[in-house]
Amino acid sequence: MEYFDRIADRYDSWYRTKTGSYVDRTEKRLIFSMMRTKRGKALDLGCGTGNYTVELYKRGFDVVGVDLSEKMLEVARKKLPDVNFVGASAYDLPFGDESFDLVLSVTMFEFLEEPEKAIKEIHRVLKSGGEVIIGTMNGRSSWFFFKRLKSLFVETAYRYARFYTPGELEELLINQGFQDVESRGIIFFPSFWPFLGIAERMDQKFSESLKSIGAFIAVRGIKK
């Protein structure tokens, strides 16, 4: 968590780069294309600086952001002063049973030592019929092979990350009782690939059939 506190004030600058902008809009396109919930109370778990909290807020959700990094939350609060941002652990959420219609968690599970505990908490705070969507980095992609290699020499978040496969994410949800579980993947070229137009067309066409090699993977499930 110290690492994220240290980078909080510059975390969003990556989204303003050409590659960062492409990754951000591509990942969001995937996440929101999978999402079936259109309104209600949403939890952005591991919200960081509020990137997805902002999107949920724009779409009309009554959204709450949760993160352990107070520095990241400070940035998020400046973006959305009317939204409730809470410093809390994913293992012990300060909400009652069946509080949310939707739980969204993007690039948080990579940094959890006990992901099963977090899934259990998500299941608890979701209403019956509620939806969870989790997005993570894929350890089998070429993109993150190079990112992980770079992290051996330069400190980045990837140095501390645990990578998942689509099947592993699905198993996490199924083991906790979620149903209608599905996964997709996106971003099929490494970060230095210069032809983003080609990359985006590939992303849109093969997010399901090539999910196992996508740099970013997402899984959704329903609490019955």
Side-chain angles (χ1 to χ4, degrees):
M1 196 50 57
E2 287 183 14
Y3 173 77
F4 290 101
D5 281 340
R6 292 200 308 271
I7 67 169
D9 60 346
R10 63 180 188 277
Y11 185 83
D12 286 345
S13 62
W14 183 72
Y15 293 120
R16 294 188 287 272
T17 67
K18 185 176 181 180
T19 300
S21 176
Y22 152 67
V23 169
D24 186 42
R25 68 176 176 268
T26 300
E27 292 179 352
K28 284 175 178 171
R29 186 184 298 124
L30 178 66
I31 290 291
F32 288 106
S33 71
M34 294 177 71
M35 188 180 295
R36 302 292 179 265
T37 309
K38 302 303 180 185
R39 61 181 63 84
K41 193 166 185 180
L43 172 62
D44 184 6
L45 183 56
C47 65
T49 59
N51 186 25
Y52 277 85
T53 322
V54 169
E55 291 299 319
L56 290 168
Y57 182 81
K58 287 179 178 178
R59 290 167 184 261
F61 284 94
D62 176 13
V63 60
V64 177
V66 167
D67 204 277
L68 264 181
S69 171
E70 186 56 38
K71 293 294 185 181
M72 299 285 262
L73 290 176
E74 287 177 7
V75 177
R77 291 183 182 114
K78 291 176 182 177
K79 296 178 183 178
L80 293 170
D82 296 331
V83 168
N84 184 22
F85 288 98
V86 180
S89 168
Y91 304 145
D92 186 21
L93 296 173
F95 310 108
D97 296 354
E98 301 196 353
S99 295
F100 295 95
D101 301 285
L102 168 72
V103 175
L104 175 63
S105 182
V106 178
T107 60
M108 180 196 76
F109 269 75
E110 296 91 322
F111 306 101
L112 296 179
E113 294 182 0
E114 299 178 88
E116 297 83 4
K117 289 180 65 175
I119 295 292
K120 185 176 182 179
E121 273 294 87
I122 290 172
H123 192 275
R124 181 184 67 80
V125 301
L126 268 176
K127 297 176 183 179
S128 180
E131 178 181 31
V132 59
I133 299 180
I134 297 170
T136 77
M137 299 174 287
N138 182 2
R140 292 183 179 174
S141 72
S142 60
W143 179 294
F144 287 108
F145 171 79
F146 290 107
K147 290 293 187 180
R148 194 63 181 266
L149 185 63
K150 177 182 177 181
S151 73
L152 297 175
F153 305 97
V154 179
E155 186 183 29
T156 70
Y158 305 105
R159 180 179 292 183
Y160 308 103
R162 167 188 175 179
F163 298 105
Y164 291 88
T165 66
E168 288 169 341
L169 286 180
E170 290 180 6
E171 187 177 4
L172 280 174
L173 293 189
I174 291 169
N175 288 345
Q176 190 54 50
F178 284 96
Q179 298 184 23
D180 300 332
V181 175
E182 64 171 323
S183 62
R184 297 183 194 171
I186 210 160
I187 304 177
F188 302 110
F189 296 94
S191 57
F192 51 78
W193 176 260
F195 307 109
L196 296 185
I198 295 174
E200 291 204 51
R201 289 194 292 273
M202 289 283 289
D203 289 332
Q204 294 179 45
K205 189 173 182 179
F206 296 109
S207 66
E208 189 166 358
S209 60
L210 296 181
K211 65 183 179 183
S212 62
I213 61 171
F216 180 77
I217 51 178
V219 62
R220 69 175 293 275
I222 300 294
K223 176 182 175 178
K224 296 294 186 179

